[in-house]
Amino acid sequence: MNTDIIRRSCSKIRLKKGEGRTLKAGGAWVYNNEIDWMSEDVTDGHLVEVLDFDDYFMGIGFINRKSKITVRMLSRHERNIDDAFIEKRVRNAVEYRYDTVDTSACRLIFGEADFLPGLVIDKYSDVRLYIKD
């Protein structure tokens, strides 16, 4: 894991007035047409803080300006996304699969459903296949 991306200070985006209802209702995505402003240091693939129109912190996620789903949310509460944060999410997802399904061939990590947006990891016997969206 590239901890430089995770630990550096976050860029910011601000939503348009009237947007953000889906985030407040539990949504995991910010669409390109909902964004009013981005700080100049925004870099695709890095973390951004998502702010309401009045600068209220709404969460943090990965940005991709080339996608209509511009931000995929990681957390609504934590501002410090580090290796331990990601490791806990991965561990929780994998433990859940081992507790609930036959894991000889299964989807170990299922993106937003496991609070790891854009990441899919499939397991086929001893082979792991990952897909980064």
Side-chain angles (χ1 to χ4, degrees), residues 18-76:
E19 300 295 345
R21 289 182 300 276
T22 56
L23 281 183
K24 290 177 183 174
W29 299 337
V30 175
Y31 291 92
N32 61 352
N33 64 338
E34 297 176 310
I35 298 171
D36 181 43
W37 170 88
M38 293 183 197
S39 58
E40 292 179 12
D41 60 343
V42 167
T43 303
D44 289 332
H46 287 232
L47 294 171
V48 291
E49 288 186 7
V50 178
L51 307 174
D52 199 342
F53 72 96
D54 60 357
D55 289 335
Y56 174 79
F57 177 79
M58 296 187 70
I60 192 167
F62 287 108
I63 190 164
N64 179 357
R65 292 172 292 174
K66 296 177 183 118
S67 173
K68 287 189 183 264
I69 301 172
T70 307
V71 179
R72 294 172 186 264
M73 300 298 289
L74 269 177
S75 176
R76 286 182 182 63

Side-chain angles (χ1 to χ4, degrees), residues 88-100 103 108-109 114 121:
K88 181 178 179 186
R89 292 268 172 102
V90 169
R91 187 177 311 281
N92 287 345
V94 171
E95 286 175 358
Y96 175 76
R97 296 309 180 287
Y98 278 101
D99 289 345
T100 58
T103 57
L108 286 177
I109 297 180
D114 290 318
I121 298 178

